[in-house]
């Protein structure tokens, strides 16, 4: 299946529904910009949620992954322009790409059964 652009007027409902269906899925976040190339922002952490805030005066998408104080990552994308969704081609792998004025954020999702999800998180150490 090909990548599908999500119309702006559907972003709020798309991300609400997507977050409900994909809560706990393991996600990797890659940020690509012309000034810094491709940078991995996070990998192997469970999705908490994605939301679009498009109210008057606001124009951003917020991504929260991790869900533990020692591995909590929030990425805020200011002035998003376009959102694409790539449906699964294999067993439960999907991708979301968000284009903004600063570059592109790529999220890759992989389903891990809840009983195995804890193994995906970095180990807690006594120093954390």
């Amino acid at each position: 299946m090909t990548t599908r652009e999500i119309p702006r007027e559907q972003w709020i409902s798309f991300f609400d529904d997507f977050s409900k269906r994909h809560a706990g899925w393991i996600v990797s976040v890659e940020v690509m910009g012309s000034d810094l190339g491709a940078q991995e922002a996070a990998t192997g952490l469970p999705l908490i949620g994605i939301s679009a805030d498009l109210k008057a005066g606001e124009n951003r998408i917020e991504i929260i992954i991790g869900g533990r104080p020692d591995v909590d990552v929030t990425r805020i994308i200011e002035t998003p322009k376009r959102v694409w969704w790539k449906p699964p081609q294999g067993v439960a792998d999907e991708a979301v790409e968000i284009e903004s004025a600063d570059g592109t954020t790529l999220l890759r999702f992989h389903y891990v059964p809840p009983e195995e999800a804890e193994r995906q998180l970095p180990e807690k150490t006594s120093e954390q």
Side-chain angles (χ1 to χ4, degrees), residues 47-84:
L47 176 70
I48 303 304
I50 306 172
S51 61
D53 190 357
L54 305 174
K55 298 181 287 215
E58 296 293 331
N59 183 20
R60 66 188 203 170
I61 294 173
E62 186 173 303
I63 303 160
I64 302 172
I65 61 174
R68 260 187 5 207
D70 58 324
V71 289
D72 192 43
V73 176
T74 300
R75 172 139 177 87
I76 297 174
I77 301 166
E78 300 288 350
T79 61
K81 295 179 178 182
R82 300 172 78 184
V83 172
W84 289 275

Side-chain angles (χ1 to χ4, degrees), residues 10-73:
Q10 294 177 13
W11 288 1
I12 293 172
S13 62
F14 171 78
F15 285 126
D16 286 349
D17 292 342
F18 190 91
S19 294
K20 288 175 188 169
R21 286 186 326 232
H22 294 81
W25 283 43
I26 301 304
V27 63
S28 295
V29 180
E30 186 176 345
V31 179
M32 297 163 274
S34 58
D35 58 337
L36 53 108
Q39 302 287 319
E40 190 171 82
T43 188
L45 298 174
L47 176 70
I48 303 304
I50 306 172
S51 61
D53 190 357
L54 305 174
K55 298 181 287 215
E58 296 293 331
N59 183 20
R60 66 188 203 170
I61 294 173
E62 186 173 303
I63 303 160
I64 302 172
I65 61 174
R68 260 187 5 207
D70 58 324
V71 289
D72 192 43
V73 176

Side-chain angles (χ1 to χ4, degrees), residues 22 25-26 88-94 109-112:
H22 294 81
W25 283 43
I26 301 304
Q89 291 184 338
V91 177
D93 287 321
E94 296 183 47
F109 295 87
H110 181 72
Y111 178 72
V112 174

